[in-house]
Amino acid sequence: AQSVTQLDSQVPVFEEAPVELRCNYSSSVSVYLFWYVQYPNQGLQLLLKYLSGSTLVKGINGFEAEFNKSQTSFHLRKPSVHISDTAEYFCAVSWYTNDYKLSFGAGTTVTVRA
Amino acid sequence: DVKVTQSSRYLVKRTGEKVFLECVQDMDHENMFWYRQDPGLGLRLIYFSYDVKMKEKGDIPEGYSVSREKKERFSLILESASTNQTSMYLCASSLLSNGYGYTFGSGTRLTVV
């Protein structure tokens, strides 16, 4: 069965420092890749997606992610975080072999401190 | 913008009650989904529907059922609520069945006492 692994459950970071959230998945065959953000007491909002083409994907709010097929990874990065980036971040993958239903990682809570 | 509206933000129910969670989308999307969100487990798919009156089991369907009588409405039913169904429930819809373009509702936090 396909799986999505987010390697860090909690990431504390200081304001204006860079952050990287790691995501690995079980198979690269016909995948679409996503990062979602959930701010406190809200639903999920799409940050960025990889469907095809360039392996470096830019999203909203200064986030970017890189698709690495050989390492089956899709890590999320931001060069300089703000207090407002405090949220929970979810990596999600859809596979052709699973009718493209979204499967989610366990989530990474990012806490930005001044 | 597509809106996905979940009828209740917070809900408290007693063990054994029948519980209905309602979800309505306003953009004529074919596909609708119910997930539950638990700390450390992420989002897990309960049921989904690709068309009216059509339903498919997700990864954790036990203890749940669904109803889709109209295209815009997808209901999640807990036939006999139990304390282990205390969770955040998220509804989503999408136009295409290709994994992207999901729009999520704000969630219903259900507590079963």
Side-chain angles (χ1 to χ4, degrees), chain B residues 21-83:
Chain B
L21 303 184
E22 305 289 347
C23 175
V24 177
Q25 50 96 0
D26 66 358
M27 278 296 290
D28 205 33
H29 280 180
E30 302 289 337
N31 312 300
M32 297 189 74
F33 308 84
W34 275 106
Y35 288 87
R36 67 176 280 177
Q37 180 182 1
D38 299 289
L41 296 176
L43 279 73
R44 293 177 291 166
L45 183 62
I46 305 172
Y47 267 97
F48 61 99
S49 169
Y50 288 147
D51 203 351
V52 175
K53 295 192 184 295
M54 177 270 179
K55 60 186 178 183
E56 294 279 351
K57 292 180 180 179
D59 299 318
I60 52 163
E62 296 79 18
Y64 303 95
S65 62
V66 291
S67 171
R68 193 165 181 201
E69 296 295 319
K70 294 184 178 181
K71 192 173 187 179
E72 67 271 17
R73 186 179 296 269
F74 192 35
S75 303
L76 180 69
I77 303 159
L78 286 65
E79 296 289 344
S80 177
S82 64
T83 54

Side-chain angles (χ1 to χ4, degrees), chain A residues 85-106:
Chain A
D85 292 321
T86 294
E88 189 160 20
Y89 294 80
F90 293 94
C91 180
V93 183
S94 64
W95 284 273
Y96 169 77
T97 50
N98 195 28
D99 294 328
Y100 287 119
K101 296 190 297 293
L102 273 182
S103 294
F104 288 84

Side-chain angles (χ1 to χ4, degrees), chain A:
Chain A
Q2 294 97 343
S3 63
V4 183
T5 303
Q6 290 183 242
L7 296 160
D8 307 291
S9 59
Q10 309 261 356
V11 174
V13 59
F14 286 106
E15 195 174 19
E16 298 183 8
V19 71
E20 178 180 79
L21 308 184
R22 296 178 293 166
C23 174
N24 287 89
Y25 52 92
S26 54
S27 167
S28 276
V29 177
S30 297
V31 293
Y32 296 148
L33 302 162
F34 310 85
W35 276 97
Y36 285 85
V37 60
Q38 185 178 37
Y39 298 106
N41 299 313
Q42 294 187 25
L44 271 70
Q45 178 183 356
L46 182 66
L47 268 180
L48 49 79
K49 60 181 182 283
Y50 171 80
L51 305 178
S52 64
S54 172
T55 57
L56 184 61
V57 179
K58 293 191 184 298
I60 62 172
N61 300 340
F63 284 93
E64 63 180 32
E66 185 154 20
F67 168 53
N68 187 317
K69 186 173 183 178
S70 62
Q71 296 188 6
T72 60
S73 68
F74 191 55
H75 300 335
L76 180 72
R77 301 183 185 95
K78 185 170 182 177
S80 176
V81 297
H82 303 289
I83 298 288
S84 59
D85 292 321
T86 294
E88 189 160 20
Y89 294 80
F90 293 94
C91 180
V93 183
S94 64
W95 284 273
Y96 169 77
T97 50
N98 195 28
D99 294 328
Y100 287 119
K101 296 190 297 293
L102 273 182
S103 294
F104 288 84
T108 298
T109 299
V110 173
T111 304
V112 181
R113 300 168 181 168

